[in-house]
Amino acid sequence: FKGDKKARLDFYIQVPYNAVQFVKTGQGFEAAYTITVSVFDEEKKNLITEKIWNEKIVAISFELTSSPDNFNLGSRSFELSPGVYSIKTSLFDKDSKNEYSSENIVVVKQFTQVPALSDVMLISGRTVIDGTSKIIPNVSRNVVSDRDPLSMFFEIYSDTSTNLLINYEIIDEKETQVFNKSEQISLKKGTNQIFHNVDSLMLDLGKNLLKITLKDSAGKVYDTSVKSFMSRWVGVPIALTDLDKAIE
């Protein structure tokens, strides 16, 4: 997303309750862990910035600690210059002493030319906490076909009030276009926050690509953002993406 001087990278980490160890306390059960997010340059030679913080989960019953549906969501923001970064995330469980880590490549966009699109955030919903509206991100990027809407949030930056077109396109693993729709949008000068749902999607199991294009009525393209996601079916395990192979 566009920041004051640099781009703002919002980083979310979703930790399932059953991935950490709980200990019994007077209030129920508690789990504690430390998150370290290290941002390196593309070659992983230089550490650009790093944030470390502690998280604690409190559950009132043991059943809650083992449910795969419960999770703790943490987030931090980074101000970064446009470029390509390697991000290493580590989780240290304070009770089990287990450590988990992952690495991702992130491309931070440049917003010098407007109109421009931010990256797309897939979301699970919105809630109100202490009178402030909060976005709940879909960190796993799993969408149950024909049940869940493909919900998203993004921003459009404009230097003037204008009317433009937004095109939503979904391409499956076979590079087949499975959804395509355009809508007119009225933009104000500055930052425009967009919440959008694509409903009643009938998708095959597997990886899909959401492509959002900002253009004018004559077809001139100003900017494009893409986001991959996984489509699932009700009752089919998350790890299973090829039903034919499972049946053989």
Side-chain angles (χ1 to χ4, degrees):
F1 297 96
K2 186 177 181 181
D4 294 332
K5 295 182 180 179
K6 298 181 179 180
R8 189 188 82 246
L9 174 67
D10 292 335
F11 186 90
Y12 294 88
I13 180 165
Q14 180 175 302
V15 179
Y17 279 21
N18 59 6
V20 291
Q21 182 170 303
F22 282 80
V23 295
K24 187 170 176 55
T25 67
Q27 289 74 40
F29 297 85
E30 288 187 4
Y33 56 91
T34 300
I35 299 294
T36 303
V37 180
S38 308
V39 181
F40 296 88
D41 60 12
E42 186 177 8
E43 291 77 25
K44 305 178 186 179
K45 294 181 179 179
N46 300 305
L47 178 64
I48 307 300
T49 185
E50 185 176 68
K51 292 189 177 183
I52 303 172
W53 72 95
N54 295 312
E55 295 275 2
K56 183 171 74 172
I57 307 173
V58 178
I60 59 174
S61 69
F62 179 76
E63 288 73 20
L64 292 175
T65 69
S66 56
S67 172
D69 297 326
N70 294 327
F71 59 85
N72 189 55
L73 184 66
S75 66
R76 291 293 186 275
S77 295
F78 297 85
E79 296 288 330
L80 298 172
S81 300
V84 181
Y85 297 90
S86 175
I87 298 182
K88 181 179 180 180
T89 308
S90 298
L91 181 152
F92 177 72
D93 189 326
K94 294 184 176 181
D95 293 303
S96 69
K97 308 303 180 186
N98 291 329
E99 186 169 5
Y100 311 94
S101 64
S102 66
E103 292 189 18
N104 301 93
I105 297 295
V106 173
V107 178
V108 176
K109 294 180 66 172
Q110 189 163 356
F111 299 106
T112 52
Q113 294 184 343
V114 289
L117 286 167
S118 72
D119 284 339
V120 183
M121 177 190 294
L122 300 186
I123 62 175
S124 299
R126 286 184 281 175
T127 188
V128 177
I129 300 176
D130 297 330
T132 302
S133 179
K134 299 289 186 181
I135 297 172
I136 304 173
N138 181 351
V139 177
S140 67
R141 287 186 277 170
N142 288 313
V143 176
V144 177
S145 181
D146 200 31
R147 189 193 74 178
D148 298 340
L150 178 61
S151 301
M152 66 199 75
F153 168 76
F154 57 95
E155 293 181 343
I156 302 176
Y157 313 109
S158 179
D159 58 355
T160 184
S161 297
T162 185
N163 293 322
L164 293 176
L165 290 173
I166 302 180
N167 178 252
Y168 300 94
E169 181 181 11
I170 298 176
I171 302 168
D172 66 14
E173 282 187 306
K174 299 175 184 177
E175 299 186 357
T176 301
Q177 184 187 78
V178 294
F179 181 85
N180 186 42
K181 185 178 181 180
S182 293
E183 296 181 358
Q184 187 177 59
I185 186 169
S186 297
L187 300 178
K188 65 179 182 180
K189 182 179 180 180
T191 299
N192 298 262
Q193 294 188 332
I194 309 297
F195 291 91
H196 184 76
N197 287 343
V198 178
D199 297 307
S200 303
L201 281 174
M202 291 293 293
L203 302 173
D204 290 335
L205 290 169
K207 187 177 181 180
N208 298 272
L209 194 69
L210 168 67
K211 181 180 179 181
I212 299 177
T213 303
L214 185 66
K215 55 187 178 181
D216 63 17
S217 57
K220 178 183 177 181
V221 174
Y222 289 104
D223 202 2
T224 299
S225 284
V226 297
K227 179 70 68 175
S228 63
F229 68 95
M230 297 294 295
S231 56
R232 298 170 47 213
W233 292 348
V234 175
V236 177
I238 293 176
L240 185 60
T241 57
D242 194 326
L243 197 58
D244 292 334
K245 290 181 181 179
I247 295 173
E248 286 178 359

